[in-house]
Amino acid sequence: MTAGPVGVDDPHLEIVRPVPPPARHVCPECVLLGTPWVHLRQCLTCGQVGCCDSSPMRHARAHAAATSHVVVRSIEPGEDWRWCYADEQFV
């Protein structure tokens, strides 16, 4: 297992893959639905972007639940962290 930036060992880090930065800084599902979002998260398995848990639709968490791609990173300017939805912790 690989230790996360805060020294947390998480078995879900094994599903992390190199993903390029997103081409657009939007939640595509919110754009389609016409709903607002607060912050954006990027799946570190497939690269999909979704809105955070503070957003009305919580698309990043829904993606994690539907695909088991449970590790995301913040793509907000000035933020550099990863989160595991399965274990509800920074990794």
Side-chain angles (χ1 to χ4, degrees):
M1 280 182 278
T2 305
V6 292
V8 175
D9 285 331
D10 188 307
H12 301 103
L13 290 174
E14 294 175 1
I15 65 171
V16 170
R17 302 288 177 260
V19 295
R24 297 177 57 210
H25 198 79
V26 300
C27 175
E29 293 182 70
C30 284
V31 170
L32 286 173
L33 295 170
T35 57
W37 63 85
V38 178
H39 298 290
L40 298 172
R41 310 295 179 237
Q42 184 177 31
C43 173
L44 288 177
T45 300
C46 70
Q48 180 169 322
V49 173
C51 55
C52 70
D53 285 353
S54 296
S55 301
M57 304 304 290
R58 302 172 67 183
H59 286 120
R61 184 175 289 275
H63 173 75
T67 63
S68 296
H69 296 174
V70 295
V71 181
V72 297
R73 69 176 169 201
S74 173
I75 58 169
E76 293 301 314
E79 294 185 356
D80 183 25
W81 53 263
R82 300 180 302 184
W83 179 259
C84 177
Y85 286 115
D87 296 315
E88 297 291 328
Q89 65 183 3
F90 291 101
V91 294

